[in-house]
């Protein structure tokens, strides 16, 4: 299992981690298989969306703020219930395809770390599982 | 990695791709392992839900339209911010269990391609990872 | 593929299944790889969120009730359209990292079975896929 470090700068933020993941694949010689990236936090998570126009990310964060307001009739006393709820809506992990030695993403897709209760130092865990041929090459 | 082609016919649509995936499993002799299906688009995605009564799919699409209106104070100029937001809510991929040579789905479950900005020609990517015994049989 | 049995006690409930999954990993000697847990139902699903303060779970269920009301202009005649919609929002399965013989979860993370149309007897399916070394040890 590999560990990636993330530093967020605002309460809510979607940080592209596409390049970090591409480097992880290249540096380890991952060729053919699956890369699972897991966010071990409960007020931050992962998603894939458009990487080209930054306004898409702004629209996503704004929509989430409308759907799940920061203030509400919440019981949890830490003031970050909205962050927990958003985290479950997007999900804690991504299972990414690696093929031909490359992370397979669509033309417009980027992988984003979604911070909902920052700024904080965060971590991501990555587990690689390759086909037999690829695993054997690493053995 | 396998590629599936999808043709959507409306702006918003949930198309069952269960049979296509079952055929992929059968045609390749996948026996025991995981099939990851990834949608490389950012205004369409995948989900699993009831396959029997078509009104369930209609209710899901209507609920999403209520939660994420097509028109709103969006910054993204392409007029499809709602589609991007819905895509992140449902997620870009599914990790499906294959066991005993069959895609494992519950009695009422079907796999759906969710089009939110069609009609378009779309693609899906599928990556198979089997247990050693199964991979070896294919080697 | 392993099967876990779940008994829910209310219409809406988030039941921690963290311990059951940890036992599954330990009892089978799973060491290094991925554990996919799939919910074969269409009105229940899985998520990961905070396991420490029970008010987080209460806030999540309450937020979902606000986002997707039980009564609405639904077409599906069974009265559980809200449960189907919530299921697609959270997703049908989780892909969990197992490393060093342990299920890898963050300090505050627990795995929850989300019942949206109970009480019912439910099932979960678990598929293990290990690295070559680990699979071979089981062979």
């Amino acid at each position: 299992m590999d560990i990636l470090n993330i530093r967020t700068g605002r309460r809510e933020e979607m940080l592209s981690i596409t390049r970090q993941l591409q480097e992880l694949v290249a540096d380890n010689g991952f060729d053919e298989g699956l890369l699972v990236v897991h966010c071990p936090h409960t007020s931050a998570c992962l998603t894939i969306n458009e990487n080209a126009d930054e306004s898409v990310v702004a629209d996503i964060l704004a929509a989430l703020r409308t759907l799940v307001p920061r203030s509400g009739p919440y019981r949890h006393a830490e003031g970050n219930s909205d962050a927990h709820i958003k985290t479950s809506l997007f999900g804690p992990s991504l299972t990414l395809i690696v093929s031909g030695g490359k992370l397979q993403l669509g033309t417009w897709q980027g992988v984003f770390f979604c911070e909902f209760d920052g700024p904080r130092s965060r971590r991501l865990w990555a587990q690689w599982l390759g086909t037999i041929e690829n695993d054997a090459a690493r053995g």
Side-chain angles (χ1 to χ4, degrees), chain A:
Chain A
M1 195 178 81
D2 292 282
I3 297 177
L4 299 171
N5 292 297
I6 313 271
R7 178 73 213 172
T8 61
R10 283 173 287 180
R11 181 164 198 265
E12 293 175 8
E13 196 172 5
M14 284 173 64
L15 281 177
S16 173
I17 55 166
T18 313
R19 192 174 302 172
Q20 275 174 271
L21 295 178
Q22 284 166 335
E23 286 171 4
L24 183 73
V25 168
D27 292 350
N28 287 279
F30 297 154
D31 187 44
E32 200 71 32
L34 301 175
L35 183 70
V36 171
V37 190
H38 178 93
C39 175
H41 309 285
T42 57
S43 54
C45 63
L46 294 163
T47 196
I48 288 177
N49 218 297
E50 184 176 320
N51 211 7
D53 178 4
E54 289 181 7
S55 64
V56 172
V57 160
D59 286 343
I60 292 172
L61 290 174
L64 284 178
R65 275 192 295 270
T66 302
L67 289 172
V68 187
R70 182 164 183 186
S71 298
Y74 299 124
R75 293 196 208 169
H76 186 50
E78 293 179 18
N80 63 353
S81 284
D82 63 322
H84 289 294
I85 296 159
K86 293 170 184 175
T87 294
S88 274
L89 286 173
F90 276 14
S93 69
L94 293 170
T95 301
L96 303 165
I97 296 176
V98 175
S99 187
K102 303 214 174 217
L103 194 64
Q104 296 297 315
L105 291 171
T107 310
W108 306 108
Q109 286 186 321
V111 184
F112 292 91
F113 180 83
C114 306
E115 172 65 82
F116 295 128
D117 192 31
R120 297 205 202 195
S121 290
R122 299 291 203 172
R123 290 195 162 192
L124 286 179
W125 299 340
Q127 179 80 319
W128 166 250
L129 209 58
T131 58
I132 283 187
E133 294 74 13
N134 194 40
D135 263 8
R138 297 174 61 214

